C-alpha cells in the first residue's frame, strides 16, 4: 500500500508526464505548420512516449492499491522562434523532469518505500537517455544554422524515427 504522500506525488508525476506529452504534441503541430513533417513525426512519437510514461506510473499507483487522480493539464506553448529553439525547450524541459524524478526517489527513500524506489529506477535511467537524445538532436539542429538545406536533410532523418515500445 502506498502512503498518502507517495501516492499524491506519483499522481502529480502522472500529470507532469501528460503535460510533457501535450508539450511535444504542440511542438509537432508547430513543425507541421512550418512544413517540417519529419520533425513533426519525431515529436509526435515523443508525445506518444510521454503518454506511455504517464501510463506506467498510473498503472503502478493502481497496482499498489492507490487511486490515480487526473487533474487539469496546463496548456503548452504554441509558438517557437526556430527549430533550434524548440529543442532548447525540449532539453530544458527534460532536465526539469529529471529533477522531478530525483525528488520522487528522495521521497521514496525518506519514506522507506523500497518498492517505489525500485520502480522509479527505470525512470532514472530513462531520464539519462532522454537528456542525451534531446541534446544530440539539439546539436544537430544547431549545426544547420537554420539553413533550409541542413534542415531538409534532418527532416528526412527524423521522419524515419520508429516508436519502439521497448525503449518507452
Ligand atoms: Fe517522461 Fe521525457 O520524460
Amino acid at each position: 500500500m502506498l502512503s498518502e504522500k507517495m501516492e499524491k506525488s506519483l499522481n502529480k508525476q502522472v500529470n507532469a508526464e501528460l503535460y510533457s506529452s501535450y508539450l511535444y504534441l504542440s511542438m509537432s503541430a508547430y513543425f507541421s505548420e512550418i512544413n517540417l513533417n519529419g520533425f513533426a513525426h519525431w515529436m509526435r512519437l515523443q508525445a506518444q512516449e510521454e503518454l506511455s510514461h504517464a501510463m506506467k506510473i498510473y498503472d503502478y499507483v493502481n497496482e499498489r492499491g492507490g487511486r490515480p487522480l487526473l487533474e487539469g493539464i496546463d496548456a503548452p506553448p504554441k509558438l517557437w522562434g526556430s527549430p533550434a529553439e524548440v529543442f532548447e525547450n525540449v532539453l530544458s524541459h527534460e532536465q526539469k523532469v529529471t529533477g522531478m524524478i530525483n525528488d520522487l526517489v528522495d521521497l521514496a527513500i525518506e519514506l522507506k518505500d523500497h518498492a517505489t524506489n525500485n520502480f522509479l529506477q527505470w525512470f532514472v535511467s530513462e531520464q539519462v537517455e532522454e537528456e542525451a537524445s534531446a541534446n544530440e538532436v539539439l546539436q544537430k539542429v544547431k549545426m544547420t544554422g537554420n539553413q533550409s538545406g541542413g534542415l531538409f536533410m534532418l527532416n528526412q532523418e527524423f521522419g524515419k524515427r520508429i516508436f519502439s515500445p521497448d525503449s518507452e
Side-chain angles (χ1 to χ4, degrees):
M1 189 83 188
L2 285 172
S3 71
E4 201 181 316
K5 203 168 172 188
M6 197 73 250
E7 180 179 331
K8 216 171 149 185
S9 303
L10 287 169
N11 273 329
K12 229 174 115 192
Q13 193 61 32
V14 171
N15 185 276
E17 300 290 343
L18 289 173
Y19 174 77
S20 299
S21 184
Y22 230 39
L23 173 66
Y24 296 150
L25 195 56
S26 184
M27 289 171 171
S28 179
Y30 162 77
F31 282 129
S32 293
E33 189 181 18
I34 61 171
N35 298 313
L36 285 173
N37 291 328
F39 281 69
H41 168 79
W42 193 98
M43 259 329 154
R44 192 181 169 125
L45 291 198
Q46 196 63 25
Q48 206 176 332
E49 197 173 300
E50 296 302 345
L51 182 60
S52 79
H53 292 172
M55 293 314 296
K56 217 181 247 288
I57 305 170
Y58 173 101
D59 287 340
Y60 178 76
V61 170
N62 257 336
E63 198 182 348
R64 295 288 313 279
R67 166 70 158 91
L69 283 176
L70 302 175
E71 304 287 348
I73 305 164
D74 289 339
K78 299 178 186 72
L79 274 178
W80 289 265
S82 66
E85 203 177 283
V86 175
F87 287 100
E88 303 265 10
N89 193 168
V90 173
L91 181 59
S92 65
H93 183 69
E94 287 302 332
Q95 286 164 339
K96 194 172 137 199
V97 173
T98 300
M100 289 175 181
I101 297 292
N102 289 343
D103 287 347
L104 283 172
V105 172
D106 286 346
L107 181 66
I109 292 170
E110 185 194 317
L111 296 172
K112 298 188 182 0
D113 183 345
H114 301 290
T116 301
N117 182 12
N118 184 51
F119 166 74
L120 289 169
Q121 292 310 308
W122 183 90
F123 285 89
V124 171
S125 307
E126 174 67 10
Q127 282 312 119
V128 173
E129 276 179 37
E130 292 269 79
E131 283 191 36
S133 133
N135 191 42
E136 190 189 322
V137 174
L138 172 62
Q139 296 317 318
K140 283 184 181 176
V141 174
K142 270 184 167 173
M143 259 187 260
T144 68
N146 211 25
Q147 298 300 306
S148 53
L151 287 174
F152 177 77
M153 297 221 346
L154 280 184
N155 193 47
Q156 306 271 79
E157 181 186 326
F158 293 166
K160 292 188 187 127
R161 182 178 177 188
I162 294 166
F163 181 70
S164 137
D166 289 344
S167 63
E168 284 168 24

